[in-house]
Amino acid sequence: MNQAATARLTGAIPTLASLSFEETIGFYARLGFEVLHGDISFLLLHRDGVRLSFWLTGNRRVPQATSCWLEVTGISALYADFSALNIVPRKGHLEDKPWGTREFSITDCHGNLIRFSEGV
C-alpha cells in the first residue's frame, strides 16, 4: 500500500458510444477535434490535450443514455463558437450553476450529452 499513498490520478478519457465512426469524426471535427487513432472497433479523438474515445454500437438508445463533462477555460468563447454552429440545444444554454461553475451542453450526432464546465 505504500505506492498507493504516492499514486495520483492525472486525467480521464470518457468513452462514448458511436453509431458510425465516420459521422462521429465529422461532427467532432467541426468542434476542433482530430483523430489520434481509429480502427474498426475503437476511435480516439483529441483537442487541446483532452481525449474522447468511442466504441461502436448498433443500438441507438445507448448513446442517448451516455454523457460526459469536459472542464474548459474560456467557456464564454467556446459557447459562442458552438452556438454559431447551431449545435447548442435550447436547454443547453450557458448558465451559472449553484455548485460554482458556468456550464453549457450539446448533444452530439448520435445523442451523447457533452457538458462543458468552467469553475468560477
Side-chain angles (χ1 to χ4, degrees), residues 35-115:
V35 176
L36 274 177
H37 175 81
D39 60 34
I40 62 170
S41 63
F42 178 72
L43 175 64
L44 185 62
L45 305 178
H46 76 105
R47 174 186 167 168
D48 303 329
V50 171
R51 293 177 287 173
L52 295 175
S53 63
F54 295 86
W55 62 280
L56 277 177
T57 181
N59 185 338
R60 293 192 170 282
R61 292 187 209 173
V62 174
Q64 294 173 359
T66 306
S67 68
C68 72
W69 243 306
L70 300 179
E71 294 179 329
V72 304
T73 59
I75 197 162
S76 294
L78 189 67
Y79 178 73
D81 290 347
F82 289 1
S83 292
L85 296 173
N86 293 318
I87 60 170
V88 178
R90 189 167 34 103
K91 292 184 177 183
H93 64 277
L94 183 62
E95 62 184 358
D96 293 334
K97 297 294 188 176
W99 45 87
T101 61
R102 294 193 80 209
E103 298 180 7
F104 75 93
S105 63
I106 64 169
T107 303
D108 77 7
C109 56
H110 297 127
N112 295 292
L113 176 66
I114 313 297
R115 295 181 186 269

